[in-house]
Amino acid sequence: MNTVILKSDGELQRDGVSVPADPLRYLGYKVELGQGYTLRSFFRMIERYPVFAQLNAFFPECMQLYQACPDGECLAPGMGQLELYKTVEMMGFPGEPRL
């Protein structure tokens, strides 16, 4: 299975190589969190690949909260965890179904 690794500095890697500036083609890949990955790493990824910010209407507000946090450990109200999920949709039914 194709795998992308989310690095703690926000970089995405596939097969040990940095993913180029257009990361959307990797959205269907299996995700592994790299050593030391944190919630802050997730926001570094959004900064590094701004196209991801277009995927959710709440990202601009979340990015503002992240940018306002000090470099050390901090807590942002309303952000207790990060949950990643994937939606698989069947299209073309009735008829020729496809995922």
Side-chain angles (χ1 to χ4, degrees):
M1 171 170 250
N2 293 322
T3 302
V4 66
I5 298 174
L6 308 182
K7 306 292 279 187
S8 63
D9 64 357
E11 176 186 23
L12 299 177
Q13 282 189 352
R14 179 175 179 238
D15 298 327
V17 177
S18 183
V19 167
D22 183 18
L24 294 181
R25 72 180 74 187
Y26 301 98
L27 287 176
Y29 284 37
K30 176 183 168 190
V31 173
E32 287 184 13
L33 301 182
Q35 184 71 26
Y37 196 86
T38 64
L39 183 58
R40 187 177 300 275
S41 304
F42 176 79
F43 289 107
R44 288 181 186 132
M45 180 185 68
I46 302 299
E47 287 179 325
R48 188 176 191 130
Y49 303 97
V51 69
F52 284 149
Q54 297 174 26
L55 298 176
N56 188 298
F58 297 105
F59 275 150
E61 182 180 348
C62 291
M63 289 301 293
Q64 288 176 352
L65 286 171
Y66 156 70
Q67 291 165 343
C69 284
D71 288 339
E73 297 204 19
C74 65
L75 297 174
M79 294 184 108
Q81 67 186 28
L82 175 64
E83 187 171 317
L84 302 173
Y85 65 92
K86 180 178 175 179
T87 302
V88 177
E89 183 177 324
M90 182 179 276
M91 302 178 299
F93 184 81
E96 186 76 29
R98 66 188 189 284
L99 295 178

